[in-house]
Amino acid sequence: MHSADTRHQYIEPLEAAGRRSVAEARRVVVKVGSSSLTTPDGLIDAGRIRDLVEVVAARRALGQEVILVSSGAVAAGMTPLGMVRRPRDLASQQAAASVGQGLLVASYTAELAGHGLTAAQVLLTVEDMMRRVQHRNSQRTLRRLLDIGAVPIVNENDTVATHEIRFGDNDRLAALVAHLMRADALVLLSDVDALYDGNPADEGTSVVRLVRGSTDLDGIDIGSTGKRGVGTGGMVTKVDSARIATEAGVHTVLTSAANARDALAGERVGTFFAPADGRRPSARQLWLAHATAGRGSLVLDPGAVRAVVEEKASLLPAGVVKVHGEFSAGDPVDLRDESGTVVARGLVNYDAAEVPDLMGRSTRWLAREMGPTYERELVHRDDLVLL
Ligand code: GLU
């Protein structure tokens, strides 16, 4: 049976140590999805918010810093607007979110106050995570909030951004916040108790307790392992988020809201994703790799592929042989080899229309013939991530 007693099973030292790191985390990000906060008809369930806040308060009492990333704004806005079903069109979802966000934070504020804690609303977008100024500002605000003992309640700023409404139910946002704040642990709570190695409804399917790296997921059709409800995440974005977080060195647990207390205490519930070792990538690199799609692509000659992939160099116009798509300077573009394989993604410094005149030219020639502003790289190393 899925919920088999796991107490007497052998636990890999990596998992045991990782679970302990979650329990002992100095700073933890807890993400809760809409489906865990709502009644079956999609309305906000006050009891569930109370239960969650109780868990958060207990962790705070142990001296941990907790950042809560909470969805539920769309759901909370439905009743006041007389909507019986979650609206399908984006504008209505955004409208519902702007009605619901205030109500959602009001209930967190009231519940946290019952434990002597202060709630702080923080609205972010995935893009904020990568623009230098916004990145620094949100980091500073969150740090200050933690210093003064508040509990940040983060949600996507649905009025201006719709990424998480459409693709993630805040899953990616939570992983990026965990990275931004150098959190030690991320706990992703939803209505599924763990990742399974198949459809949980099928005979013989079992829980995956430990994911050491992406090879542990080989052969699992992640799309078939979850169920869809009020939220928009599904299992794919959850596993994706776990991957972003672990790449950033964050211990990650994926489980149900009902298991929140145990997960945060380091008990063996849900699925544990071990952090990758090595250097933490920049927030911008994580965003490029996980939260963007190329608006077009640049095809590189073999020398440029080698320079970018092996020598970690910037991409210069000299190494480009073809350009595809309509993009503007500052957009993310895919860098492909001549067989079409995407080898990297980066923020391009020129409009698509400018590229044909630059291709194959040395930066020295460009500076001399076209002026000093053309001496810049096509894609700078710092704005580039290998895929
Ligand atoms: N930010 C949205 C909310 O809080 C995302 C969740 C969703 O797509 O359900 O409602």
Side-chain angles (χ1 to χ4, degrees), residues 27 38 74 153 175 178 232 257-258 279 311 379:
R27 180 175 293 169
T38 45
V74 175
I153 314 283
T232 48
R279 207 171 63 86
E311 287 150 32
V379 179

Side-chain angles (χ1 to χ4, degrees), residues 247 281-282 284-290 292 308-309 333-335 342-347 379-387:
E247 265 178 40
S282 73
R284 180 190 292 257
Q285 286 168 328
L286 279 177
W287 178 85
L288 272 170
H290 300 286
T292 55
V308 165
V309 175
V333 294
D334 290 334
L335 312 192
V342 178
V343 295
R345 187 173 298 141
L347 299 177
V379 179
H380 191 274
R381 185 72 227 171
D382 294 345
D383 299 332
L384 197 149
V385 63
L386 300 180
L387 296 176

Side-chain angles (χ1 to χ4, degrees), residues 10 29 50 65 95 169 326:
Y10 170 73
V29 174
R50 188 168 314 133
E65 293 176 342
D169 196 15
E326 298 283 320

Side-chain angles (χ1 to χ4, degrees), residues 34 70-74 86 155-156 158 164-165 169-170 230-232:
S34 300
S70 177
S71 307
V74 175
R86 184 185 164 95
N155 197 356
E156 188 179 44
D158 294 319
E164 300 291 334
I165 286 187
D169 196 15
N170 286 339
V230 190
T232 48

